[in-house]
Amino acid sequence: MAPTKKRNVSSENVSEDGTKRRKIDLSSKVEKIIESRKHANDVFDILECIQSEKEKEAVNAINACSKMFSTLLERRCLFVGKLPSEEEMLSAKYSAEEKYCMFMRHRYISCVEMLLDHLSHDSHQVKESALCALMKFAAGEGQYPLEDLDWSEHYSFPRDLIQALVERLLSRTEDTSLLISRFQEFLEMEDVRYYIMSSIRDNVGKVMDKNKGAVMPIYQNNVFSLLCNINMPSQESELTNFLVKQEDKHEDWKAAKLNEHKRTFERMWLGFLKYKLPSNMYKKILVILHDSILPHMSKPTLMIDFLTAAYEVGGAISLLALNGLFVLIHQHNLDYPDFYKKLYSLLEPSVFHVKYRARFFHLANLFLSSTHLPVYLVAAFVKRLARLALTAPPTSLLMVLPFICNLIRRHPSCRILIHRPSTADEPCQDPYVMDEEDPAQCHALESSLWEIKTLQKHYHPDVAKAAMTINTPLSGQEEDINELLEITNYELMERDLNKTSSKGVPLEFDPATQLLQGGGGVLGQHFCLE
């Protein structure tokens, strides 16, 4: 066994030495190519190493190419302008200087194509190295353009390279979310963000139209991952970090204007949302819509169609659409017909068990905060909540009961639901129609809150105590329900376990000595507690 072990160690050493040697060879080749043009053909050896199946060798070759072509770009050793084909380059009459620049420009194009292909490599380290190298080339091309800027209004930025990069990041067959998260570093640059947003809009339109608008889960998830990594600035003074600094007319550059960023951001999102999306993506978008999308749009009202369509879906999606609708209604004067009718229909038993319960009741509290709402409408919400409370869990009841009391405080005309006189001897049938979708036709004002009276016998003492509130005149000050919105069963249990009783528990004065003391029967004679 000992000789075998020794051979394994020696083979590992040989492998490590070979890797170091190849790395040294690549570095020396790069230095020779940069120093002397007579070694230009060595670039083929470096490009060949990029396609190596060994991860370390490919990464080393990518880093070598990044250094080599960045230096050549800086030294203006790549041909600028419309590039002739290699056959034309050899046949036409060009100087040795021009032929060298054309040759290296062709090799540069080959290198970029290889790096773009490596963005779908099996190894994440190779993908990351290729991505960083491409962005380094983008910075180099921006500073030292490879195309003739023959008119004054043109601004130098490698649009074609960025579009090709976006096309590979938005793969149709592979999840690229991990690589996209690495790309976020570059999205912090203002000009990169601006041109990336333009490229996303163009790419989505082209791909989705080609697929006739059908759902493409992998592709659309990749698009959503890239969109979520775009952080928009809130003020124009924040636009300071650029990959390419324009020497002339920088202030007139669209990428340096916040309004242009907002316009492009808006077009990008609208272009993405106009197509049918995977069902699970609607929830993800609606969660961030009011906070990360609407504030950065130049015309947020353009999202009305998407939000109203989501609000009509029902269930959790409708609950989440409330946030965006709230912003549009309160800040942009959106007129939504039958809004409260739809909100009323969302009050179902499942609303106490969904993940977004706290957000829904927070928004419902805001929408019902106006004292100008009709009495019949508020009474319908109060009665429906009271009916749903009969089957709600204790954690929800501790929030719903104060919520109902707050509604009655805001609208004193609803107090008739509490103090409705009735004859105890006569059987009473509740006129409220639970299945009626229109709050104006449910006859809530003709009913009473007998459900809360029933909850005064609830098994949980805190719920019973909260239900007792209606037995006394309600105070003018509302209860704060924000702390109760997200209370959990665990917190409720911990609160009960940690509760200390101030009163002593009454016990038997004379300690028992027999199982059935004083009975005088057989059990008392034959059994005792000793």
Side-chain angles (χ1 to χ4, degrees):
M1 293 297 293
T4 305
K5 186 174 182 181
K6 187 173 182 180
R7 280 197 299 272
N8 288 338
V9 173
S10 63
S11 64
E12 290 176 2
N13 291 337
V14 169
S15 177
E16 291 178 2
D17 292 342
T19 303
K20 290 180 181 178
R21 192 178 302 112
R22 281 190 294 272
K23 187 174 181 180
I24 295 171
D25 291 340
L26 287 174
S27 300
S28 62
K29 285 181 183 293
V30 169
E31 294 297 333
K32 289 179 181 178
I33 293 170
I34 293 173
E35 290 174 2
S36 175
R37 296 182 178 182
K38 67 180 181 181
H39 298 288
N41 283 330
D42 287 348
V43 71
F44 289 109
D45 297 333
I46 301 176
L47 294 178
E48 185 179 355
C49 291
I50 290 182
Q51 297 176 313
S52 173
E53 295 180 358
K54 297 180 180 179
E55 179 183 301
K56 288 185 178 180
E57 190 169 333
V59 170
N60 291 335
I62 291 171
N63 294 335
C65 282
S66 175
K67 178 183 177 182
M68 175 179 65
F69 286 114
S70 295
T71 304
L72 294 176
L73 273 168
E74 186 177 352
R75 293 183 179 181
R76 306 295 179 93
C77 293
L78 300 184
F79 184 79
V80 178
K82 186 178 180 180
L83 182 65
S85 64
E86 296 197 70
E87 294 79 8
E88 184 181 349
M89 179 185 75
L90 295 175
S91 59
K93 294 181 179 179
Y94 292 104
S95 65
E97 172 78 17
E98 290 175 324
K99 287 184 178 181
Y100 172 79
C101 292
M102 291 177 188
F103 173 80
M104 296 308 293
R105 173 82 180 275
H106 277 290
R107 303 292 77 77
Y108 172 73
I109 292 173
S110 300
C111 177
V112 169
E113 290 174 354
M114 291 179 186
L115 294 179
L116 289 170
D117 289 339
H118 273 359
L119 293 179
S120 57
H121 198 276
D122 294 336
S123 167
H124 179 70
Q125 189 174 357
V126 173
K127 292 180 184 178
E128 188 175 346
S129 299
L131 178 66
C132 294
L134 287 168
M135 291 308 297
K136 191 173 181 180
F137 290 163
E141 283 191 39
Q143 191 172 0
Y144 310 103
L146 295 177
E147 301 294 337
D148 288 322
L149 304 179
D150 51 359
W151 66 93
S152 59
E153 296 300 323
H154 188 84
Y155 295 93
S156 62
F157 194 87
R159 295 173 180 80
D160 294 339
L161 180 55
I162 291 296
Q163 287 176 352
L165 182 60
V166 168
E167 187 175 347
R168 301 307 172 97
L169 287 176
L170 302 182
S171 172
R172 307 175 199 182
T173 57
E174 178 188 2
D175 181 10
T176 57
S177 55
L178 185 60
L179 187 61
I180 289 172
S181 64
R182 176 65 180 85
F183 188 62
Q184 185 179 10
E185 171 192 337
F186 302 103
L187 289 172
E188 299 299 323
M189 299 176 182
E190 325 300 348
D191 45 358
V192 174
R193 184 196 309 116
Y194 177 80
Y195 288 106
I196 285 290
M197 291 191 294
S198 299
S199 299
I200 292 174
R201 183 191 64 203
D202 296 339
N203 186 269
V204 169
K206 181 178 67 175
V207 173
M208 296 304 295
D209 289 342
K210 186 177 181 180
N211 205 46
K212 298 181 179 179
V215 175
M216 303 176 65
I218 296 177
Y219 172 76
Q220 288 173 304
N221 276 309
N222 287 333
V223 175
F224 181 67
S225 297
L226 188 52
L227 295 180
C228 289
N229 279 281
I230 295 176
N231 297 318
M232 287 286 289
S234 56
Q235 297 179 355
E236 192 154 334
S237 58
E238 297 176 11
L239 300 177
T240 55
N241 184 19
F242 291 88
L243 180 71
V244 180
K245 182 69 176 178
Q246 304 294 333
E247 296 181 1
D248 300 325
K249 298 183 180 180
H250 178 80
E251 296 77 11
D252 298 334
W253 190 23
K254 287 185 177 182
K257 295 181 178 180
L258 182 60
N259 287 336
E260 293 295 335
H261 277 258
K262 284 189 172 184
R263 191 175 290 111
T264 306
F265 180 82
E266 177 181 273
R267 291 173 181 171
M268 174 187 67
W269 271 106
L270 291 174
F272 176 61
L273 296 178
K274 76 177 183 179
Y275 298 101
K276 187 177 180 181
L277 302 173
S279 56
N280 63 337
M281 190 174 290
Y282 281 100
K283 294 181 182 179
K284 297 178 182 178
I285 293 173
L286 291 169
V287 165
I288 65 172
L289 184 68
H290 70 288
D291 190 36
S292 302
I293 301 176
L294 290 179
H296 303 297
M297 297 180 70
S298 56
K299 294 181 180 179
T301 50
L302 294 174
M303 295 295 291
I304 290 176
D305 291 340
F306 174 76
L307 284 169
T308 51
Y311 193 49
E312 296 293 335
V313 170
I317 292 179
S318 292
L319 301 185
L320 293 172
L322 276 176
N323 253 333
L325 285 173
F326 174 76
V327 173
L328 294 182
I329 289 173
H330 280 257
Q331 298 180 12
H332 302 280
N333 300 319
L334 168 65
D335 183 17
Y336 187 95
D338 297 330
F339 174 79
Y340 284 98
K341 183 178 177 181
K342 181 62 180 177
L343 182 64
Y344 179 76
S345 67
L346 292 178
L347 292 175
E348 297 177 346
S350 60
V351 78
F352 296 119
H353 306 280
V354 294
K355 180 179 179 182
Y356 312 104
R357 181 193 70 184
R359 176 177 295 191
F360 170 74
F361 279 100
H362 172 71
L363 291 171
N365 188 39
L366 290 175
F367 283 121
L368 295 171
S369 61
S370 174
T371 56
H372 299 288
L373 294 174
V375 177
Y376 77 84
L377 181 66
V378 179
F381 275 92
V382 168
K383 183 61 182 176
R384 193 173 183 91
L385 285 170
R387 183 64 61 87
L388 293 174
L390 292 175
T391 56
T395 52
S396 298
L397 288 173
L398 291 176
M399 174 266 300
V400 168
L401 291 173
F403 185 69
I404 291 174
C405 292
N406 285 345
L407 290 178
I408 296 175
R409 288 186 178 98
R410 294 171 196 164
H411 304 271
S413 301
C414 292
R415 291 178 187 270
I416 193 174
L417 296 174
I418 301 175
H419 303 293
R420 182 175 299 282
S422 60
T423 305
D425 297 335
E426 297 179 2
C428 181
Q429 184 177 1
D430 193 344
Y432 173 69
V433 183
M434 181 69 175
D435 296 331
E436 176 59 53
E437 295 182 357
D438 188 354
Q441 304 296 329
C442 67
H443 305 288
L445 275 174
E446 302 171 20
S447 182
S448 64
L449 295 180
W450 59 266
E451 297 91 350
I452 297 183
K453 194 72 175 177
T454 304
L455 289 172
Q456 292 177 1
K457 303 294 184 181
H458 197 274
Y459 71 88
H460 198 286
D462 290 346
V463 173
K465 182 179 178 181
M468 291 284 187
T469 307
I470 64 169
N471 291 347
T472 58
L474 294 175
S475 61
Q477 186 176 1
E478 294 186 13
E479 294 184 55
D480 185 11
I481 64 170
N482 290 328
E483 295 181 357
L484 302 173
L485 290 176
E486 299 186 13
I487 190 170
T488 63
N489 287 318
Y490 175 79
E491 292 172 346
L492 196 60
M493 181 66 72
E494 284 293 310
R495 191 171 68 181
D496 291 341
L497 291 175
N498 295 330
K499 188 183 297 182
T500 57
S501 177
S502 58
K503 298 181 180 179
V505 179
L507 301 174
E508 180 72 24
F509 181 77
D510 295 324
T513 57
Q514 298 177 350
L515 187 62
L516 297 174
Q517 187 175 2
V522 178
L523 289 177
Q525 296 175 6
H526 295 281
F527 292 91
C528 67
L529 298 179
E530 296 179 356

